[in-house]
mmCIF file of all heavy atoms in Angstrom:
data_model
loop_
_atom_site.group_PDB
_atom_site.id
_atom_site.type_symbol
_atom_site.label_atom_id
_atom_site.label_comp_id
_atom_site.label_asym_id
_atom_site.label_seq_id
_atom_site.Cartn_x
_atom_site.Cartn_y
_atom_site.Cartn_z
ATOM 1 N N GLN A 1284 88.149 -41.767 140.589
ATOM 2 C CA GLN A 1284 87.833 -40.437 140.052
ATOM 3 C C GLN A 1284 88.650 -40.149 138.794
ATOM 4 O O GLN A 1284 88.134 -39.645 137.799
ATOM 5 C CB GLN A 1284 88.101 -39.371 141.108
ATOM 6 C CG GLN A 1284 87.746 -37.979 140.649
ATOM 7 C CD GLN A 1284 88.079 -36.925 141.690
ATOM 8 O OE1 GLN A 1284 88.742 -37.188 142.677
ATOM 9 N NE2 GLN A 1284 87.634 -35.710 141.435
ATOM 10 N N GLY A 1285 89.947 -40.499 138.830
ATOM 11 C CA GLY A 1285 90.798 -40.280 137.669
ATOM 12 C C GLY A 1285 90.323 -41.041 136.447
ATOM 13 O O GLY A 1285 90.289 -40.501 135.333
ATOM 14 N N LYS A 1286 89.930 -42.283 136.641
ATOM 15 C CA LYS A 1286 89.469 -43.099 135.514
ATOM 16 C C LYS A 1286 88.130 -42.592 134.971
ATOM 17 O O LYS A 1286 87.908 -42.572 133.765
ATOM 18 C CB LYS A 1286 89.365 -44.576 135.924
ATOM 19 C CG LYS A 1286 90.710 -45.223 136.186
ATOM 20 C CD LYS A 1286 91.622 -45.158 134.966
ATOM 21 C CE LYS A 1286 92.971 -45.774 135.267
ATOM 22 N NZ LYS A 1286 93.869 -45.778 134.125
ATOM 23 N N VAL A 1287 87.225 -42.169 135.886
ATOM 24 C CA VAL A 1287 85.939 -41.615 135.440
ATOM 25 C C VAL A 1287 86.163 -40.386 134.560
ATOM 26 O O VAL A 1287 85.487 -40.188 133.552
ATOM 27 C CB VAL A 1287 85.044 -41.258 136.665
ATOM 28 C CG1 VAL A 1287 83.885 -40.356 136.264
ATOM 29 C CG2 VAL A 1287 84.529 -42.526 137.316
ATOM 30 N N LEU A 1288 87.157 -39.570 134.921
ATOM 31 C CA LEU A 1288 87.457 -38.366 134.143
ATOM 32 C C LEU A 1288 88.192 -38.668 132.836
ATOM 33 O O LEU A 1288 88.311 -37.811 131.974
ATOM 34 C CB LEU A 1288 88.290 -37.399 134.978
ATOM 35 C CG LEU A 1288 87.539 -36.707 136.114
ATOM 36 C CD1 LEU A 1288 88.509 -35.947 137.007
ATOM 37 C CD2 LEU A 1288 86.481 -35.770 135.550
ATOM 38 N N GLY A 1289 88.716 -39.894 132.709
ATOM 39 C CA GLY A 1289 89.381 -40.280 131.473
ATOM 40 C C GLY A 1289 90.895 -40.311 131.528
ATOM 41 O O GLY A 1289 91.550 -40.366 130.482
ATOM 42 N N ALA A 1290 91.473 -40.300 132.726
ATOM 43 C CA ALA A 1290 92.936 -40.380 132.831
ATOM 44 C C ALA A 1290 93.420 -41.741 132.336
ATOM 45 O O ALA A 1290 92.812 -42.768 132.622
ATOM 46 C CB ALA A 1290 93.370 -40.178 134.284
ATOM 47 N N ASP A 1291 94.507 -41.732 131.590
ATOM 48 C CA ASP A 1291 95.120 -42.987 131.150
ATOM 49 C C ASP A 1291 95.903 -43.617 132.298
ATOM 50 O O ASP A 1291 95.966 -44.837 132.421
ATOM 51 C CB ASP A 1291 96.050 -42.718 129.963
ATOM 52 C CG ASP A 1291 95.282 -42.169 128.770
ATOM 53 O OD1 ASP A 1291 94.366 -42.867 128.287
ATOM 54 O OD2 ASP A 1291 95.575 -41.039 128.353
ATOM 55 N N ILE A 1292 96.514 -42.774 133.100
ATOM 56 C CA ILE A 1292 97.299 -43.188 134.271
ATOM 57 C C ILE A 1292 96.934 -42.233 135.400
ATOM 58 O O ILE A 1292 96.720 -41.045 135.160
ATOM 59 C CB ILE A 1292 98.810 -43.096 133.985
ATOM 60 C CG1 ILE A 1292 99.202 -44.036 132.844
ATOM 61 C CG2 ILE A 1292 99.632 -43.402 135.241
ATOM 62 C CD1 ILE A 1292 100.621 -43.824 132.339
ATOM 63 N N VAL A 1293 96.882 -42.753 136.617
ATOM 64 C CA VAL A 1293 96.630 -41.895 137.772
ATOM 65 C C VAL A 1293 97.890 -41.856 138.626
ATOM 66 O O VAL A 1293 98.502 -42.891 138.903
ATOM 67 C CB VAL A 1293 95.428 -42.403 138.608
ATOM 68 C CG1 VAL A 1293 95.259 -41.580 139.880
ATOM 69 C CG2 VAL A 1293 94.155 -42.365 137.766
ATOM 70 N N LYS A 1294 98.281 -40.635 139.011
ATOM 71 C CA LYS A 1294 99.449 -40.428 139.866
ATOM 72 C C LYS A 1294 98.967 -39.846 141.186
ATOM 73 O O LYS A 1294 98.217 -38.875 141.198
ATOM 74 C CB LYS A 1294 100.443 -39.469 139.213
ATOM 75 C CG LYS A 1294 101.649 -39.154 140.085
ATOM 76 C CD LYS A 1294 102.638 -38.243 139.384
ATOM 77 C CE LYS A 1294 102.172 -36.813 139.465
ATOM 78 N NZ LYS A 1294 103.130 -35.855 138.908
ATOM 79 N N ILE A 1295 99.428 -40.456 142.281
ATOM 80 C CA ILE A 1295 99.065 -39.983 143.618
ATOM 81 C C ILE A 1295 100.347 -39.663 144.364
ATOM 82 O O ILE A 1295 101.190 -40.534 144.567
ATOM 83 C CB ILE A 1295 98.253 -41.039 144.383
ATOM 84 C CG1 ILE A 1295 96.998 -41.410 143.591
ATOM 85 C CG2 ILE A 1295 97.904 -40.535 145.788
ATOM 86 C CD1 ILE A 1295 96.234 -42.582 144.170
ATOM 87 N N ALA A 1296 100.490 -38.400 144.758
ATOM 88 C CA ALA A 1296 101.664 -37.947 145.503
ATOM 89 C C ALA A 1296 101.182 -37.338 146.817
ATOM 90 O O ALA A 1296 100.406 -36.382 146.806
ATOM 91 C CB ALA A 1296 102.457 -36.922 144.698
ATOM 92 N N VAL A 1297 101.638 -37.916 147.933
ATOM 93 C CA VAL A 1297 101.204 -37.465 149.254
ATOM 94 C C VAL A 1297 102.413 -37.289 150.164
ATOM 95 O O VAL A 1297 103.510 -37.771 149.871
ATOM 96 C CB VAL A 1297 100.208 -38.469 149.880
ATOM 97 C CG1 VAL A 1297 98.953 -38.583 149.038
ATOM 98 C CG2 VAL A 1297 100.853 -39.832 150.073
ATOM 99 N N ARG A 1298 102.210 -36.614 151.287
ATOM 100 C CA ARG A 1298 103.285 -36.425 152.271
ATOM 101 C C ARG A 1298 103.089 -37.417 153.401
ATOM 102 O O ARG A 1298 102.024 -37.512 153.982
ATOM 103 C CB ARG A 1298 103.290 -35.012 152.848
ATOM 104 C CG ARG A 1298 104.351 -34.852 153.949
ATOM 105 C CD ARG A 1298 104.592 -33.423 154.344
ATOM 106 N NE ARG A 1298 105.153 -32.625 153.271
ATOM 107 C CZ ARG A 1298 106.431 -32.633 152.896
ATOM 108 N NH1 ARG A 1298 107.288 -33.425 153.477
ATOM 109 N NH2 ARG A 1298 106.844 -31.853 151.925
ATOM 110 N N ALA A 1299 104.154 -38.151 153.703
ATOM 111 C CA ALA A 1299 104.155 -39.075 154.838
ATOM 112 C C ALA A 1299 104.732 -38.346 156.048
ATOM 113 O O ALA A 1299 105.894 -37.975 156.045
ATOM 114 C CB ALA A 1299 104.988 -40.312 154.527
ATOM 115 N N ALA A 1300 103.899 -38.147 157.064
ATOM 116 C CA ALA A 1300 104.351 -37.478 158.282
ATOM 117 C C ALA A 1300 104.941 -38.470 159.278
ATOM 118 O O ALA A 1300 105.602 -38.070 160.231
ATOM 119 C CB ALA A 1300 103.188 -36.724 158.925
ATOM 120 N N SER A 1301 104.706 -39.753 159.038
ATOM 121 C CA SER A 1301 105.183 -40.776 159.973
ATOM 122 C C SER A 1301 105.462 -42.072 159.224
ATOM 123 O O SER A 1301 105.054 -42.248 158.073
ATOM 124 C CB SER A 1301 104.126 -41.042 161.045
ATOM 125 O OG SER A 1301 102.972 -41.636 160.449
ATOM 126 N N ARG A 1302 106.124 -42.968 159.901
ATOM 127 C CA ARG A 1302 106.376 -44.300 159.346
ATOM 128 C C ARG A 1302 105.048 -45.004 159.066
ATOM 129 O O ARG A 1302 104.904 -45.714 158.076
ATOM 130 C CB ARG A 1302 107.231 -45.096 160.321
ATOM 131 C CG ARG A 1302 107.516 -46.510 159.901
ATOM 132 C CD ARG A 1302 108.413 -47.189 160.940
ATOM 133 N NE ARG A 1302 108.416 -48.613 160.800
ATOM 134 C CZ ARG A 1302 109.186 -49.293 159.965
ATOM 135 N NH1 ARG A 1302 110.033 -48.630 159.197
ATOM 136 N NH2 ARG A 1302 109.140 -50.609 159.900
ATOM 137 N N GLU A 1303 104.066 -44.792 159.933
ATOM 138 C CA GLU A 1303 102.751 -45.407 159.753
ATOM 139 C C GLU A 1303 102.087 -44.920 158.465
ATOM 140 O O GLU A 1303 101.483 -45.714 157.747
ATOM 141 C CB GLU A 1303 101.848 -45.126 160.961
ATOM 142 C CG GLU A 1303 102.265 -45.832 162.226
ATOM 143 C CD GLU A 1303 103.506 -45.233 162.903
ATOM 144 O OE1 GLU A 1303 103.782 -44.015 162.729
ATOM 145 O OE2 GLU A 1303 104.226 -45.998 163.574
ATOM 146 N N ASP A 1304 102.210 -43.607 158.182
ATOM 147 C CA ASP A 1304 101.691 -43.078 156.909
ATOM 148 C C ASP A 1304 102.336 -43.792 155.736
ATOM 149 O O ASP A 1304 101.665 -44.193 154.788
ATOM 150 C CB ASP A 1304 101.988 -41.581 156.776
ATOM 151 C CG ASP A 1304 101.049 -40.689 157.553
ATOM 152 O OD1 ASP A 1304 100.013 -41.173 158.046
ATOM 153 O OD2 ASP A 1304 101.357 -39.489 157.648
ATOM 154 N N LEU A 1305 103.654 -43.922 155.798
ATOM 155 C CA LEU A 1305 104.386 -44.556 154.703
ATOM 156 C C LEU A 1305 103.950 -46.004 154.530
ATOM 157 O O LEU A 1305 103.660 -46.441 153.417
ATOM 158 C CB LEU A 1305 105.896 -44.478 154.944
ATOM 159 C CG LEU A 1305 106.757 -45.187 153.901
ATOM 160 C CD1 LEU A 1305 106.558 -44.570 152.518
ATOM 161 C CD2 LEU A 1305 108.214 -45.134 154.305
ATOM 162 N N LEU A 1306 103.879 -46.762 155.623
ATOM 163 C CA LEU A 1306 103.490 -48.177 155.536
ATOM 164 C C LEU A 1306 102.062 -48.332 155.020
ATOM 165 O O LEU A 1306 101.779 -49.207 154.189
ATOM 166 C CB LEU A 1306 103.652 -48.849 156.888
ATOM 167 C CG LEU A 1306 105.091 -48.973 157.379
ATOM 168 C CD1 LEU A 1306 105.129 -49.538 158.796
ATOM 169 C CD2 LEU A 1306 105.938 -49.803 156.432
ATOM 170 N N ARG A 1307 101.176 -47.466 155.449
ATOM 171 C CA ARG A 1307 99.791 -47.498 154.973
ATOM 172 C C ARG A 1307 99.733 -47.185 153.482
ATOM 173 O O ARG A 1307 98.991 -47.822 152.723
ATOM 174 C CB ARG A 1307 98.970 -46.499 155.793
ATOM 175 C CG ARG A 1307 97.485 -46.596 155.587
ATOM 176 C CD ARG A 1307 96.721 -45.792 156.635
ATOM 177 N NE ARG A 1307 97.191 -44.425 156.785
ATOM 178 C CZ ARG A 1307 96.854 -43.428 155.980
ATOM 179 N NH1 ARG A 1307 96.067 -43.637 154.953
ATOM 180 N NH2 ARG A 1307 97.307 -42.210 156.192
#
């Protein structure tokens, strides 16, 4: 989606509620 819109770089910031979230 970011590239379609024309972003030069895409940044993804999410919250990890568990170790599994982080590893994924």
